[in-house]
Amino acid sequence: MSARSDFVPLQPGDRAPNVVLDAITQEGKIALDDFRGQKPVLVGLFRGLHCAFCRRHIAAQARLDPELREKGVESLTVVNTPIERARLYFRYHPIPNLLAASDPERASHRAFGLPNLEFTENETNWPYKVSMAAVKDMRVDIPSELPGPMDPIAAGEILDKRDHYELTEADAQMMATGHGQLAGQFLLDRQGIVRWSFTEFPEGGRYMFGAPNPQELMSAVSQVAQ
């Protein structure tokens, strides 16, 4: 796998592209143009459901849904998991009123400028390549679920066991090409212009596996909803 070096995430003021994806929690397709001219939308572009951190970030975004809808803002969750696997997961782990779409080819992530990290033996060129040593030097801290700060590989194993999440062939196929996909959340106004974002892209991985501050997000939502 060769890493492209020309990805830069969309920034506030940029116009979001239209993407059309298979809906998970309803029938048919979901397109970003469906919201354009109608209402603002918070787009969460996550890795597959195999990612224990992403499962938690999806749930966190979903917890904001009632407050978002009070302000007239829709919320869309996009996962890299293939459609049937994703539908099965949400059937057994339902999230009320979740609007979600499947994007195993990661077209939406590329359209929003989120790179797919290449894992290497000893070369790091963030945010396109990262060595396994650098990954193991990262620390994830979820006090309610982990015994302490630890590297993301060890943390993911503990969280998977807590969740009783077992990898399927569909997960493995997706991970073979998109295991290093960076994630992000983008708030679009009614015209489809990015007004706020949080991504794993900046600062050498400082925000990897992290989530935005809810107060900061809702402050941006309040401005967009005016």
Side-chain angles (χ1 to χ4, degrees):
M1 177 177 63
S2 62
R4 282 179 55 180
S5 59
D6 56 348
F7 277 112
V8 177
L10 296 185
Q11 301 295 311
D14 290 339
R15 183 178 179 84
N18 184 41
V19 291
V20 183
L21 305 171
D22 289 321
I24 297 170
T25 49
Q26 63 186 39
E27 295 301 319
K29 303 282 188 178
I30 297 176
L32 286 186
D33 273 359
D34 294 341
F35 305 100
R36 214 179 300 271
Q38 303 297 319
K39 61 175 67 174
V41 57
L42 174 64
V43 182
L45 302 176
F46 302 103
R47 284 180 284 278
L49 293 165
H50 72 278
C51 170
F53 311 106
C54 291
R55 294 196 298 270
R56 283 153 177 79
H57 300 331
I58 290 166
Q61 179 169 309
R63 285 194 292 271
L64 294 175
D65 276 358
E67 192 172 352
L68 291 171
R69 290 197 171 97
E70 281 184 8
K71 296 181 178 296
V73 178
E74 186 59 83
S75 175
L76 173 63
T77 291
V78 178
V79 295
N80 298 156
T81 303
I83 184 71
E84 293 305 325
R85 169 60 168 158
R87 284 177 172 166
L88 182 64
Y89 176 85
F90 286 117
R91 188 177 306 148
Y92 287 98
H93 302 84
I95 297 177
N97 303 312
L98 179 71
L99 182 62
S102 168
D103 185 7
E105 301 300 324
R106 309 187 313 281
S108 54
H109 296 68
R110 289 192 297 274
F112 277 75
L114 293 171
N116 183 25
L117 273 174
E118 178 181 347
F119 294 102
T120 70
E121 183 175 346
N122 52 29
E123 180 184 1
T124 293
N125 178 25
W126 188 267
Y128 309 107
K129 295 182 179 181
V130 64
S131 70
M132 292 308 299
V135 172
K136 291 184 178 180
D137 281 341
M138 296 177 181
R139 288 295 176 264
V140 178
D141 189 15
I142 308 177
S144 61
E145 298 189 88
L146 298 175
M150 61 181 60
D151 76 77
I153 297 173
E157 291 175 354
I158 290 175
L159 297 176
D160 281 341
K161 288 180 180 178
R162 286 180 61 96
D163 297 345
H164 303 289
Y165 192 93
E166 297 184 6
L167 293 177
T168 67
E169 183 178 349
D171 290 318
Q173 289 175 351
M174 191 283 306
M175 290 168 63
T177 57
H179 196 41
Q181 178 63 61
L182 296 188
Q185 291 161 277
F186 297 82
L187 178 63
L188 312 183
D189 66 16
R190 289 177 182 82
Q191 286 71 47
I193 305 300
V194 177
R195 295 303 179 191
W196 170 93
S197 67
F198 174 90
T199 75
E200 295 177 318
F201 185 91
E203 299 183 32
R206 176 183 175 186
Y207 299 110
M208 277 293 286
F209 314 111
N213 180 292
Q215 288 75 29
E216 178 187 327
L217 169 56
M218 293 311 301
S219 175
V221 166
S222 295
Q223 295 180 24
V224 167
Q226 290 178 355

